[in-house]
Amino acid sequence: MYVPAILVPPVLSFLILVVFSRLLSTEEYGRYMLTVATVELLRGGTTGWLTVSYFRFYAGAEQDGTLPMLRSTVTMLFLGLTAVVAVGYALIVHSLPLEPTLRDMLLLGLVLLLSQSAALLVLSDRRAAGSDLQYSVLTAICAGSGFVAAIAIFMLLLPTEAALILGAAAGYALGLTSLTLSLRKIDLLGIDWGLARQLAGYGVPVAAALLLGFVVDWSDRYIIALLLGNGPAGEYAVGYALAARLITPLFVLVSMAGLSTAIKSLEQGGSAAAEPALKEGYELVLAVALPATLGLMLLAEPIVELVVGPAFRQTAIMIVPWIAVVGFLRGFKLFYLDHAFHLSKRTTLALYTVLPAGLLNVLLNLLLVPYFGLMGAVYATLATFVVAAAASWHLGRRVYPLPLPVGSLLRVLLACLPLVLVVVILDPASRPLPLCGTILAGAASYALAAFVLDIAGVRRVLTRRTGWRGMLH
């Protein structure tokens, strides 16, 4: 049920990158990227924590009969925070000494901020309630309508980077409509301030971690824009986004349902009941993300030549293999190692994983970008996520030790060897058919090896479902 919600948005984001890297200049894409980054910063630091807290407390409130008050409290807090943020954001942006085009884009970002925040809160409600189909359909519709709207606005009304912001806001506006409909079903009982303090106790550290995570994820683009200009920032953003949008959705795909299952199992049967879901999630994460990362590193040049606009290609070819590694480290931290803090409700500790990483990222970017240009930002980002992942592992094992079977990692690495050999031998050109053929051949070789080595129990599942058990013995 989660597949449409996980795959549709990144697929459409990938198509936006393909299309608009050919339609926008590097400076225009740089301004668009800075606007999106600013929206993410504000959302993560203001209403983002409320969405995370609501999802974590939903199962417990449903069990003890306090769900109506939880919904009322979250809704009213959200509306109040949104009003304050909207006014403050507009005043601050209007007063900053920015170039007029960038100021207009940032002010336009307010529309995206409001619609996106509301939509994500609704999606969190549907996901926490177990309404997988509603969650998936709503997510896919918001992403699809945003993509269509962005193309239409650019072609018919406004052929600038503003079309991307307006299109995305139009897609998320469906979330605002859903929120309005949901409010009719919610009894606004007021705010339970005791519950609000519990939500804040869990969520504010998450918000702080999100803000620091923002520093880790996005500060390089701000520093590049400051030191080198919007054009280089746009070039870097395209290469970074290409790798991230190919790797990150895979982590989300295999981890989202696993975390929900682990939380429910933990609430109902304790840590022993959650152990199987965590082990399965660990092996699935490795089995899916590791071969994809290796494949992207090996095929970076033909992929970039095929999908990225000419003005962005040289930089993208240079940084994509490195950012693929960054994407793996980031995904493994966020979508597995950090589960320890959510399961233990010790989210404050998450701050200590991203605080040193955030400071290190800013410092290294300031030191390396002036000397190494865009590759300086790549080196800084890679070092940052090594530190962040190590910090999550070190602190997480103190509060909720997660299973990290070495045998699973070794089996996945062994299964990746045929993939690497196939890709190196075929060495495809940047044309669709040879590239697709190489990807399929590499995937098939990995799948066969995964079956033989029974990675993630794939052989047991297939033999049980197909009745081949006797043939394999």
Side-chain angles (χ1 to χ4, degrees):
M1 289 296 185
Y2 282 113
V3 173
I6 295 169
L7 293 183
V8 171
V11 166
L12 294 176
S13 295
F14 182 79
L15 291 176
I16 284 178
L17 185 149
V18 172
V19 173
F20 283 93
S21 66
R22 288 169 166 80
L23 297 177
L24 298 179
S25 68
T26 57
E27 289 79 9
E28 289 173 326
Y29 203 96
R31 286 192 293 268
Y32 159 70
M33 174 274 305
L34 291 174
T35 302
V36 171
T38 304
V39 169
E40 288 295 319
L41 167 65
L42 288 174
R43 186 187 63 78
T46 54
T47 60
W49 70 268
L50 193 58
T51 302
V52 173
S53 296
Y54 181 55
F55 175 76
R56 181 61 183 88
F57 279 78
Y58 189 100
E62 190 174 35
Q63 282 190 341
D64 59 27
T66 59
L67 186 56
M69 181 53 74
L70 174 66
R71 279 178 162 163
S72 176
T73 298
V74 168
T75 300
M76 296 191 72
L77 287 173
F78 175 81
L79 294 174
L81 284 171
T82 300
V84 172
V85 170
V87 174
Y89 176 81
L91 291 175
I92 291 173
V93 171
H94 191 269
S95 64
L96 289 175
L98 303 170
E99 62 168 300
T101 305
L102 180 58
R103 180 185 292 112
D104 291 343
M105 281 292 293
L106 291 174
L107 288 173
L108 194 61
L110 177 60
V111 180
L112 176 58
L113 173 66
L114 296 176
S115 58
Q116 184 186 58
S117 299
L120 292 180
L121 181 61
V122 175
L123 292 173
S124 180
D125 177 83
R126 296 298 83 209
R127 180 185 168 201
S131 301
D132 298 347
L133 182 59
Q134 291 183 28
Y135 172 83
S136 294
V137 169
L138 182 58
T139 301
I141 289 176
C142 287
S145 60
F147 174 73
V148 172
I151 298 293
I153 293 171
F154 187 92
M155 295 299 182
L156 301 176
L157 299 174
L158 192 63
T160 69
E161 66 272 26
L164 284 166
I165 300 298
L166 290 173
Y172 281 118
L174 291 179
L176 284 172
T177 303
S178 299
L179 177 60
T180 302
L181 295 175
S182 298
L183 286 174
R184 297 176 184 175
K185 304 175 184 178
I186 296 176
D187 294 325
L188 294 180
L189 306 173
I191 297 179
D192 182 334
W193 291 106
L195 178 58
R197 283 191 292 273
Q198 292 180 42
L199 292 169
Y202 176 84
V204 169
V206 173
L210 288 170
L211 287 173
L212 291 171
F214 170 87
V215 173
V216 174
D217 286 336
W218 292 92
S219 61
D220 49 2
R221 273 143 284 192
Y222 279 103
I223 293 172
I224 291 169
L226 177 66
L227 298 179
L228 305 179
N230 289 336
E235 295 176 40
Y236 180 86
V238 167
Y240 196 109
L242 174 61
R245 287 169 185 172
L246 291 175
I247 298 298
T248 301
L250 299 177
F251 280 99
V252 180
L253 179 65
V254 298
S255 70
M256 181 177 288
L259 178 58
S260 299
T261 302
I263 288 176
K264 290 181 180 179
S265 299
L266 181 65
E267 294 285 347
Q268 296 171 0
S271 58
E275 186 80 1
L278 291 171
K279 285 185 177 180
E280 181 181 356
Y282 168 79
E283 192 156 353
L284 281 173
V285 161
L286 292 180
V288 174
L290 191 54
T293 301
L294 290 173
L296 180 58
M297 292 174 66
L298 294 169
L299 295 172
E301 184 171 354
I303 289 175
V304 169
E305 292 283 353
L306 181 64
V307 303
V308 173
F312 300 87
R313 285 176 188 165
Q314 183 177 355
T315 297
I317 290 171
M318 180 174 60
I319 72 173
V320 162
W322 296 83
I323 301 302
V325 179
V326 169
F328 179 83
L329 292 171
R330 179 181 183 274
F332 191 69
K333 175 193 184 302
L334 291 177
F335 298 107
Y336 188 71
L337 295 177
D338 284 1
H339 287 357
F341 308 124
H342 294 284
L343 293 169
S344 64
K345 294 186 178 180
R346 297 287 302 277
T347 51
T348 303
L349 292 177
L351 294 174
Y352 299 105
T353 70
V354 289
L355 178 58
L359 294 175
L360 179 65
N361 194 35
V362 172
L363 177 62
L364 288 179
N365 271 284
L366 290 173
L367 290 175
L368 298 179
V369 169
Y371 293 97
F372 298 100
L374 296 181
M375 285 306 299
V378 172
Y379 301 146
T381 301
L382 180 59
T384 294
F385 278 103
V386 169
V387 170
S392 286
W393 170 77
H394 179 69
L395 293 176
R397 65 177 180 165
R398 295 184 175 184
V399 294
Y400 196 103
L402 296 173
L404 294 167
V406 176
S408 297
L409 173 60
L410 294 178
R411 288 203 311 277
V412 173
L413 288 173
L414 184 59
C416 287
L417 288 178
L419 180 152
V420 173
L421 290 174
V422 167
V423 171
V424 170
I425 291 172
L426 293 180
D427 190 22
S430 58
R431 295 188 302 276
L433 287 180
L435 179 58
C436 289
T438 300
I439 292 173
L440 290 175
S445 65
Y446 172 76
L448 179 60
F451 178 83
V452 172
L453 296 171
D454 196 26
I455 293 175
V458 63
R459 189 176 69 214
R460 294 193 302 273
V461 172
L462 288 177
T463 53
R464 185 165 56 246
R465 291 185 177 182
T466 61
W468 290 354
R469 184 187 303 272
M471 297 174 61
L472 296 171
H473 291 279

